[in-house]
Amino acid sequence: MKGGLYFLFLFLSISPFCLFGQEMESHQLGEKTSAIKPITWTGTIYSSEKNEPIINAVLQSDSGINAITDLDGKFKINLTKQTHVFTISALGFEEKKVSIDAYASAKLNIILNVEAVLIDEVIVSGASEKSALKEITPGLQRLNAEQLETQSKFFGEIDILRSLQSISGVSNTGEGASGFNVRGGNTDQNLILQDGHLIFNPSHALGFFSLFHPDLVQYVDLYKGGIPAKYGGRLSSVLAVETRDGDKEQFKMKGGIGMVSSRLSLEGPIIKDKVSFIVGTRYSYADWIFNLVDNPEVAESSAFFNDVTAKINARLSPTTNLGGSFLRSRDDFQLGDEARFDYSTISGEAYLKQIIGEKANLTLNVNKGRYESSLFDLKGNDQSKFTNAIDYLRGKIDFLYILSDNYKLNIGADYNLYEVSPGKIEPRNESFIIPDQLEVETGREIAGYLENQFTLNENLEISAGVRFTSFANLGARIVNIYPEGEIRTERNIIGQQTFGEGETIATYTGLEPRFSVRYEVNEKTAVKAGYARTYQFLAQISNTASATPIDIWQLANQYVGPQFSDNFSIGLFKDFGVKNYQSSVEVFYRKSDGILDYKDFAQLLLNRNIETELVTGDALSYGLELNLKKQTGSLRWDMNYTFSSSERRILPSDVQVGVNRGEWYSSNYDIPHVFNMNVVKQFQNKTNLAINFTYRSGRPTTAPVSSYTSDNVLNVPIYSDRNRFRVPDFHRLDIAYTIGPFGKEGGRLDHSITLSVYNLYSRRNAYSVYFRQNPFESVKAIRVATLGTIFPSITYNFNLK
């Protein structure tokens, strides 16, 4: 049976097919002549909306002559003297067919119409429901950040992560929680990329803002279903953010001044028509917000963040593009007088993009960065600073080859080198804490991939690929040795083994097949299905309900194996054609193994024998996503509902204890019911009103259920089973009213003002609750944060073109 499946998979991977036939434009190059001369078609492909050139537009002919536009949207094609039919396509634009009668060399420009769709809390560019029916990847959400202006905002700030959380299947564990959860997965199971930068923590202010500068973002792809073979290393999803190149013609400036933060971006030519730059920065001043909250602990808190994103792009030739970018992000969050969190990201990347001939595109990328987080204990005589960090070096080569109109081949390789610093502690203010530091762990991940996309006929399209990954845990390190067949504890360490620099400690390999299929029932209905096997060799360990900056990252080693999952999804997509109503229904299922968890009452920080606190098991998540939207007219809206279940099971064995007696229990991010609604009303006087409502079930939590007294002095709590209880349900209503853009007609400066109200009816949504017991005291619940009040704001935006 397995042999038959592999043979079928191999057959689908190497079989190119052909099709087509639809209405097209007809053009004639030159005049009819009997002279035999080379015939060259040159031109530029423009956007119909802004009359801007389109980069990387693909021209494919029925005679096998293909081309890709360069960085100025230009192309050059050598033709034979005959009629050629070209299919022209680009991300975010309607596909067009053009018939060319070639008689002599000439210049002919082509215009593509823009497709834009409102989806959840964002406008989707290149993903209108017509093109969504054509898109082969199930669960793909393609977002255009430039159109977020019409959406509800937190203190007037446009934000990608908050918009993602209004998409079906995407949520987080609470107000103020960092990161996001996709289809029942943990926050660490999302691969997050900005251009070539690897992002470990995409949040500012513990989740209220993201580190993506909204004015620099060109588009966003979120793969929550069928993950292409070129992405790996995470189980749940891929978030790929691409930023714009700077304008090569003229200087531009854009920004906004708000009540909690301000932003500014600059772009323009360094060498006109050749080299450009773009840089954006944001700076917050949000401390005054906490004084509005009727909670002493929150009122004494503070939050600060700033970030800088910069990019230089050089066009060395019409087909060669060289560039680099830089990302710096920093956060400082203090919770009352208890603790302070600092976390930062610094990353640099260089890239080369080369168009080869008329059919191929080569991309090279190198990225080096560091993510660091610190926890400060601010009270008592044990004040300290605990720091952990990840240093990483990444390289990627990607080759896209267009063999024909109906067959594309994508092949490439990844290299990732991680150096994880698990923990370092330092005393503060003359406390009695003794400085200490754990050994650095090193991991090397190498992968190669191959993916084929081809069309069988006018109704059926298939993408089949495979990814092979090899991971090695490397020295130098000292590794504990435990007796075989016994539970690992600090008491039964029987020895240690020393590994030298670069020496292999443990290795793992994995084969990851990927498969997606789209069947078009008719022009308005399509069915899509996908399967992806994914591996993850770097996991986040946390004993809190939501990811915080102090979470520890753990590499796979001789005691902790990799996580892997099998992801299945199938969906029905429908365009009703009446007032452009669209709907979709998707079902997903994920079975995961090697999932990392911790024992009850685990000690995770600065633990030299952390493998004694960790346990592994399996996980199961499944659900249903319903979407209904109206995307045209002055009144646009969309609604979505997600039902999902996310469970874990840690079975006891010879080498580990179980959790909840080996029974299934809800994961920390199990949110059974989520409902989102977004309404946008566009008025004729250049104003719009956006209303957003969200509801989701309360997340699971573990709480004391009783206690007993020991020696008539100490109250000892008795806790429930893991995640037996839930915090209250979450719901919130936000509105935003935008006036503009307005300015002098034909002028270079546009303005707009956004009036927004966050949490309109002052819902007291809990962020997180944990339990603490001081010596000789009873256990008490500590609420980490609550934004239980209304937050109005005003933001001034400007755009100098």
Side-chain angles (χ1 to χ4, degrees):
M1 179 64 180
K2 287 185 176 179
L5 290 175
Y6 279 118
F7 177 80
L8 176 60
F9 179 79
L10 180 62
F11 172 75
L12 292 175
S13 298
I14 63 174
S15 301
F17 297 87
C18 300
L19 91 134
F20 268 130
Q22 64 182 52
E23 292 186 9
M24 65 189 75
E25 293 183 1
S26 296
H27 299 274
Q28 178 176 304
L29 292 187
E31 300 179 355
K32 294 184 179 181
T33 175
S34 58
I36 301 176
K37 296 181 180 180
I39 300 173
T40 301
W41 175 24
T42 59
T44 304
I45 298 182
Y46 290 98
S47 163
S48 62
E49 187 176 84
K50 298 182 179 181
N51 199 33
E52 294 180 346
I54 301 174
I55 301 171
N56 287 334
V58 178
L59 299 90
Q60 301 172 296
S61 75
D62 56 352
S63 56
I65 302 174
N66 304 314
I68 303 175
T69 59
D70 63 18
L71 301 174
D72 297 316
K74 297 179 180 180
F75 63 90
K76 180 179 180 181
I77 304 176
N78 295 322
L79 301 177
T80 58
K81 189 176 180 180
Q82 65 181 70
T83 299
H84 303 266
V85 177
F86 281 88
T87 301
I88 304 174
S89 59
L91 179 66
F93 297 87
E94 292 181 357
E95 186 178 276
K96 175 179 286 188
K97 277 188 172 290
V98 177
S99 177
I100 299 296
D101 295 324
Y103 297 108
S105 297
K107 181 178 180 180
L108 175 65
N109 298 328
I110 300 296
I111 296 176
L112 296 185
N113 293 324
V114 176
E115 290 186 337
V117 161
L118 180 67
I119 179 168
D120 298 314
E121 213 176 34
V122 297
I123 301 291
V124 177
S125 174
S128 75
E129 215 46 39
K130 179 180 178 181
S131 62
L133 295 178
K134 300 291 185 181
E135 172 59 53
I136 188 173
T137 305
L140 170 62
Q141 299 287 345
R142 190 159 284 159
L143 317 177
N144 186 333
E146 293 180 353
Q147 298 175 344
L148 292 175
E149 297 283 354
T150 60
Q151 308 308 302
S152 57
K153 309 169 182 70
F154 178 63
F155 278 91
E157 176 77 17
I158 303 166
D159 194 84
I160 292 174
L161 287 188
R162 300 188 66 80
S163 298
L164 289 176
Q165 291 167 18
S166 70
I167 292 175
S168 59
V170 183
S171 63
N172 68 358
T173 56
E175 192 165 55
S178 297
F180 58 99
N181 306 92
V182 177
R183 290 184 170 177
N186 197 4
T187 55
D188 73 315
Q189 295 174 354
N190 305 310
L191 177 64
I192 303 173
L193 302 168
Q194 177 175 297
D195 298 326
H197 301 279
L198 178 63
I199 308 297
F200 284 94
N201 188 342
S203 302
H204 281 310
L206 294 182
F208 286 107
F209 301 90
S210 71
L211 61 75
F212 307 112
H213 195 297
D215 295 334
L216 270 63
V217 172
Q218 183 175 18
Y219 68 87
V220 178
D221 281 347
L222 175 66
Y223 296 90
K224 58 178 181 174
I227 299 175
K230 67 179 179 179
Y231 297 116
R234 300 295 187 271
L235 299 188
S236 293
S237 74
V238 176
L239 176 63
V241 179
E242 291 291 330
T243 60
R244 299 185 294 110
D245 294 335
D247 194 291
K248 291 184 174 63
E249 300 291 335
Q250 62 180 0
F251 177 83
K252 296 180 179 179
M253 180 170 61
K254 189 175 183 180
I257 302 173
M259 298 175 66
V260 298
S261 67
S262 293
R263 71 186 193 278
L264 179 68
S265 66
L266 305 172
E267 62 179 299
I270 298 176
I271 302 175
K272 194 170 184 179
D273 297 329
K274 296 290 185 179
V275 183
S276 67
F277 78 94
I278 186 168
V279 60
T281 184
R282 292 185 297 172
Y283 192 92
S284 74
Y285 33 84
D287 291 356
W288 64 270
I289 301 175
F290 298 95
N291 296 324
L292 302 178
V293 180
D294 187 19
N295 183 314
E297 185 174 79
V298 177
E300 297 178 7
S301 300
S302 63
F304 164 81
F305 71 83
N306 76 292
D307 56 48
V308 177
T309 303
K311 186 177 183 180
I312 293 178
N313 180 273
R315 181 171 57 86
L316 303 183
S317 74
T319 60
T320 305
N321 185 26
L322 180 67
S325 61
F326 172 80
L327 172 64
R328 177 72 167 89
S329 171
R330 177 174 173 264
D331 272 75
D332 187 334
F333 179 85
Q334 182 164 324
L335 175 63
D337 61 353
E338 292 274 339
R340 194 180 99 206
F341 307 105
D342 286 356
Y343 53 104
S344 63
T345 298
I346 184 168
S347 178
E349 64 127 2
Y351 61 87
L352 172 68
K353 298 180 180 180
Q354 178 70 53
I355 298 174
I356 303 173
E358 299 177 347
K359 297 184 178 182
N361 196 336
L362 176 68
T363 303
L364 302 174
N365 180 276
V366 177
N367 169 225
K368 183 173 177 56
R370 177 181 176 87
Y371 171 69
E372 180 179 300
S373 65
S374 298
L375 167 64
F376 295 81
D377 192 336
L378 304 178
K379 296 185 69 174
N381 56 7
D382 60 348
Q383 296 183 43
S384 63
K385 175 185 178 182
F386 175 85
T387 304
N388 59 20
I390 304 176
D391 291 279
Y392 49 93
L393 175 65
R394 306 174 62 248
K396 186 180 181 73
I397 179 170
D398 183 85
F399 183 76
L400 175 64
Y401 187 57
I402 304 172
L403 282 81
S404 68
D405 291 354
N406 306 310
Y407 182 69
K408 299 177 183 178
L409 173 65
N410 193 201
I411 187 170
D414 289 344
Y415 175 87
N416 293 273
L417 181 67
Y418 304 107
E419 292 185 352
V420 178
S421 302
K424 174 184 178 182
I425 194 166
E426 302 170 273
R428 298 183 72 252
N429 298 330
E430 300 181 354
S431 74
F432 62 75
I433 293 295
I434 300 174
D436 196 8
Q437 183 173 358
L438 300 183
E439 289 183 291
V440 174
E441 296 187 58
T442 303
R444 182 184 62 216
E445 181 180 346
I446 302 174
Y449 59 87
L450 170 70
E451 189 155 34
N452 306 270
Q453 183 173 334
F454 45 87
T455 305
L456 294 175
N457 54 50
E458 61 182 8
N459 300 109
L460 185 60
E461 188 177 8
I462 291 175
S463 175
V466 66
R467 182 182 181 90
F468 178 79
T469 307
S470 174
F471 178 84
N473 188 291
L474 306 174
R477 280 193 66 213
I478 299 175
V479 176
N480 293 328
I481 301 175
Y482 300 88
E484 291 188 13
E486 295 185 21
I487 293 177
R488 292 187 292 271
T489 66
E490 292 185 0
R491 296 179 180 179
N492 67 358
I493 297 175
I494 61 175
Q496 292 182 324
Q497 185 176 0
T498 301
F499 291 87
E501 185 76 27
E503 190 175 353
T504 300
I505 300 174
T507 59
Y508 298 95
T509 59
L511 191 66
E512 306 174 54
R514 311 287 175 87
F515 183 82
S516 297
V517 59
R518 179 191 64 85
Y519 179 74
E520 188 173 302
V521 179
N522 52 50
E523 290 184 354
K524 298 184 181 299
T525 307
V527 177
K528 292 187 281 186
Y531 164 76
R533 162 68 68 93
T534 53
Y535 277 84
Q536 183 166 332
F537 303 93
L538 179 63
Q540 193 178 45
I541 307 171
S542 171
N543 57 3
T544 61
S546 61
T548 67
I550 61 169
D551 292 331
I552 300 170
W553 291 86
Q554 176 66 52
L555 290 169
N557 56 35
Q558 74 281 19
Y559 296 120
V560 178
Q563 305 174 80
F564 64 94
S565 68
D566 294 296
N567 303 271
F568 301 87
S569 62
I570 185 170
L572 175 66
F573 299 80
K574 178 70 175 178
D575 182 354
F576 291 100
V578 179
K579 294 185 179 180
N580 211 8
Y581 290 117
Q582 294 96 29
S583 68
S584 65
V585 180
E586 288 189 82
V587 177
F588 64 87
Y589 176 91
R590 179 188 298 122
K591 177 69 171 63
S592 304
D593 291 288
I595 297 300
L596 204 59
D597 216 319
Y598 55 90
K599 298 177 182 178
D600 293 329
F601 310 107
Q603 174 59 42
L604 300 180
L605 295 185
L606 212 68
N607 190 337
R608 296 185 183 280
N609 312 306
I610 196 169
E611 65 271 6
T612 63
E613 303 286 0
L614 302 179
V615 290
T616 58
D618 50 356
L620 184 66
S621 61
Y622 55 88
L624 171 71
E625 299 173 3
L626 303 175
N627 295 272
L628 179 63
K629 68 190 72 172
K630 176 183 179 291
Q631 63 175 13
T632 59
S634 61
L635 180 64
R636 297 168 291 171
W637 52 264
D638 70 76
M639 299 181 292
N640 65 72
Y641 165 76
T642 302
F643 165 77
S644 65
S645 176
S646 178
E647 298 178 307
R648 290 187 167 193
R649 180 177 61 180
I650 308 295
L651 294 171
S653 69
D654 292 339
V655 295
Q656 71 174 26
V657 297
V659 175
N660 285 10
R661 301 167 301 279
E663 299 175 357
W664 288 95
Y665 62 95
S666 297
S667 68
N668 291 332
Y669 32 86
D670 176 44
I671 311 293
H673 304 284
V674 178
F675 173 77
N676 295 295
M677 180 177 69
N678 191 71
V679 179
V680 177
K681 173 62 177 177
Q682 186 75 43
F683 301 99
Q684 294 183 353
N685 58 347
K686 290 188 177 181
T687 64
N688 68 75
L689 175 67
I691 302 173
N692 174 261
F693 174 78
T694 183
Y695 165 86
R696 56 177 176 264
S697 304
R699 61 160 182 82
T701 189
T702 306
V705 293
S706 62
S707 65
Y708 67 91
T709 302
S710 174
D711 297 328
N712 297 319
V713 176
L714 181 63
N715 291 320
V716 180
I718 300 176
Y719 281 81
S720 69
D721 286 347
R722 181 81 59 90
N723 290 342
R724 176 182 173 185
F725 297 99
R726 290 184 180 272
V727 302
D729 291 352
F730 177 101
H731 50 87
R732 192 187 73 242
L733 178 66
D734 308 323
I735 63 172
Y737 183 71
T738 300
I739 305 171
F742 51 88
K744 184 178 179 180
E745 186 174 352
R748 293 188 60 192
L749 183 62
D750 287 337
H751 312 259
S752 69
I753 295 176
T754 297
L755 308 172
S756 65
V757 180
Y758 181 87
N759 197 11
L760 183 64
Y761 53 83
S762 298
R763 167 70 177 176
R764 294 181 61 85
N765 289 306
Y767 157 39
S768 183
V769 176
Y770 68 93
F771 300 89
R772 171 181 292 173
Q773 183 179 28
N774 294 323
F776 309 107
E777 294 182 5
S778 299
V779 176
K780 60 179 180 180
I782 305 296
R783 177 174 289 177
V784 175
T786 301
L787 292 182
T789 187
I790 185 173
F791 288 106
S793 69
I794 180 171
T795 302
Y796 167 72
N797 302 288
F798 60 90
N799 185 10
L800 178 63
K801 299 176 289 185

